[in-house]
Each structure stands twice: as C-alpha cells, then as structure tokens.
Amino acid sequence: MRATLLVAMLVAGVIDDAAAQPAQVLIDPSDQYAMTLMSISRRTPAAELDALNARLAARKGAKIVSWETFAKMIGNEISQFVRRNDYPEVDLAAAMPQVLLRYEGTPIGITWNGGLAITGNDYRHAAKTFTAYNADPASDAARKVSDRRRDPVHPSNHLDALLYKR
C-alpha cells in the first residue's frame, strides 16, 4: 500500500524522485558467500546511523555510500564480488536499485555465484555452495542447480516476486 501510494505520488509529481530515494546504501561483502545490500531511509535518526556505522567498522570491506554513488557503482561492486556468474541472463545491476527502493531497510544478499539471498535458507545454500566451490570448483555440491525451480538463489525467482513480474 505504502509503495503504491509513493509511486502514485511520484507519477503525479507531488514529490520528486530525490525525496523518494533512500539517502544511503549499506554494502557489506564481508561474508564472502553473499554481499549484503540495504537501503537506508532519509528519515533514519543520526543515532541509529552512528550505531550502524559502529557495527560495520568490524566488518571487512563494509561501507555506507550515498544513493547516488550506489547507483553509479553497483555494476562494478557486483562484478568484483561475484566469483562465478551462474545467471548471466539476469541484470542485477539494473534490478537492485528497484528492489532497494521498494524494500527500504530490508537486507538483500547477492551471492558469490550471482544469485539473490533473501531468506535464511538462501544464505545457508550460498554458504554451503561457496564452501564446496572453494574446496573443489568441479564438485557436485559446487555445481549450478540446473532446474530454476529447485534453485533457492536463482535471482529471477526472487525478482519476479519482489517486483511483481509474471
């Protein structure tokens, strides 16, 4: 409902694009098997931002960047993080700003193999396959899941639902 109202207000010109965009984006690649992205609202209190920055200080490579910077650098961040892109047909650099705008404050993971992690199951799958890939890239456990319906991190499965595609 809130997202529908926001989109309607944007289309009607009641509010401008900049006001509707998140202020910043958290980028945390420190888990290696999934890079977490999360948009941060313009309404986030300074004390909350300070606490978030303090927690991120211990996480290698984690940072908070402006929304504008994120929009310019997301493709590079993804290509540097993804070790083996199992889903070249999906343009995550184009989709992630849409997802983060719609689901402000919700952590979204980009997996080591170019998938998306939303649920705990997704993150566990990414961790398991990443460990197997590091041990032996040719192993059965590290191989891409060939059936999209059985692949918990296939980005199209999540994007179709998150962005209401049918």
Side-chain angles (χ1 to χ4, degrees):
M1 177 76 166
R2 181 176 151 230
T4 305
L5 178 61
L6 182 62
V7 170
M9 291 173 74
L10 278 168
V11 170
V14 175
I15 55 178
D16 64 29
D17 286 342
Q21 294 172 345
Q24 299 170 309
V25 177
L26 175 150
I27 302 172
D28 183 359
S30 60
D31 286 324
Q32 294 187 28
Y33 58 86
M35 174 174 59
T36 300
L37 304 174
M38 184 180 77
S39 56
I40 301 169
S41 171
R42 293 186 181 282
R43 297 175 305 279
T44 303
E48 204 173 305
L49 276 175
D50 291 343
L52 183 57
N53 275 311
R55 285 194 310 270
L56 289 179
R59 302 197 50 91
K60 184 179 180 198
K63 59 190 168 196
I64 295 178
V65 300
S66 72
W67 178 260
E68 294 77 17
T69 299
F70 167 76
K72 292 175 188 169
M73 68 189 275
I74 185 57
N76 190 44
E77 290 285 327
I78 291 171
S79 65
Q80 286 180 13
F81 180 79
V82 172
R83 287 151 184 86
R84 181 188 77 199
N85 190 357
D86 289 343
Y87 316 99
E89 71 280 7
V90 179
D91 186 356
L92 287 180
M96 290 313 297
Q98 295 175 57
V99 171
L100 294 176
L101 183 61
R102 185 173 288 184
Y103 298 96
E104 194 172 77
T106 302
I108 308 288
I110 295 179
T111 65
W112 69 275
N113 67 337
L116 283 182
I118 309 284
T119 69
N121 182 54
D122 300 338
Y123 282 95
R124 282 187 295 278
H125 176 78
K128 183 179 99 181
T129 57
F130 176 74
T131 300
Y133 177 79
N134 276 342
D136 179 8
S139 72
D140 285 345
R143 210 173 292 155
K144 176 184 175 187
V145 177
S146 60
D147 182 357
R148 174 181 162 179
R149 295 169 299 176
R150 295 183 51 229
D151 186 349
V153 299
H154 194 295
S156 293
N157 292 342
H158 290 302
L159 291 173
D160 288 354
L162 292 171
L163 300 175
Y164 306 109
K165 294 179 183 176
R166 297 194 189 265

